[in-house]
Amino acid sequence: MPVDFSGTWNLISNDNFEGYMVALGIDFATRKIAKMLKPQKVIKQDGDSFYIHTTSTFRDYSLQFKIGEEFEEDNKGLDNRKCKSLVTWENDKLVCVQTGEKKNRGWTHWLEGDDLHLELRCENQVCKQVFKRA
Ligand code: VLZ
């Protein structure tokens, strides 16, 4: 049985989101707002199908995918660059590789105790986020 990420999760820490946004080319004004946000994630996991909705007072972003099936991601409201995304299991970690203009782009989700962890990667920047169940 794989890990179940389903639930509603609130951000409690956000390390180097600024560096990640700079690597994505997000403008200064948007970064100033975005780094103050405390986004919430709603994850629905049904077998190999996932729905991840990240909401905030400023912008929302939602993603639907199946494990092992590459899809086109538009990153709308983030950096708006299209990429090809592929999510796979690496043991109990959910690993997404986002292939496109930006090198080394992707993210990894895992559970640690009662917390949801997320590492966001772009070029040489790593952002580390931790969420607790709402
Ligand atoms: O998460 O890729 O859970 O998409 C932040 C919205 C969303 C705030 C960040 C606005 C999405 C920021 C992170 C404006 C620049 C992400 C994946 C893994 C699913």
Side-chain angles (χ1 to χ4, degrees):
M1 273 289 282
V3 186
D4 191 0
F5 292 96
S6 297
T8 301
W9 302 90
N10 290 331
L11 184 89
I12 56 157
S13 70
N14 195 0
D15 180 32
N16 197 37
F17 190 46
E18 172 72 8
Y20 175 73
M21 288 191 290
V22 169
L24 283 176
I26 307 293
D27 68 81
F28 179 84
T30 305
R31 293 202 313 270
K32 290 282 138 206
I33 299 167
K35 71 178 169 194
M36 300 302 294
L37 301 173
K38 294 275 177 277
Q40 185 175 70
K41 271 191 203 283
V42 175
I43 303 181
K44 292 175 182 166
Q45 179 178 344
D46 178 15
D48 273 352
S49 298
F50 283 79
Y51 170 77
I52 302 180
H53 192 192
T54 309
T55 60
S56 75
T57 51
F58 177 52
R59 266 175 213 173
D60 294 355
Y61 188 70
S62 64
L63 197 65
Q64 256 182 297
F65 58 87
K66 278 187 180 165
I67 298 295
E69 290 187 11
E70 194 177 56
F71 60 98
E72 182 158 291
E73 187 174 0
D74 62 12
N75 296 290
K76 204 166 164 57
L78 306 177
D79 65 322
N80 298 301
R81 272 189 206 88
K82 290 192 168 89
C83 61
K84 297 275 192 194
S85 300
L86 177 68
V87 185
T88 56
W89 287 110
E90 284 185 16
N91 299 309
D92 286 342
K93 291 187 175 184
L94 203 57
V95 179
C96 180
V97 175
Q98 296 171 307
T99 306
E101 201 181 317
K102 290 289 176 183
K103 300 294 174 215
N104 192 37
R105 184 172 186 172
W107 52 259
T108 300
H109 265 301
W110 70 96
L111 295 177
E112 226 175 274
D114 292 330
D115 299 338
L116 173 73
H117 287 242
L118 172 62
E119 185 183 276
L120 295 161
R121 299 174 292 276
C122 183
E123 296 180 328
N124 61 343
Q125 296 296 314
V126 179
C127 166
K128 180 68 199 302
Q129 300 185 336
V130 181
F131 298 79
K132 279 204 180 298
R133 285 199 188 271

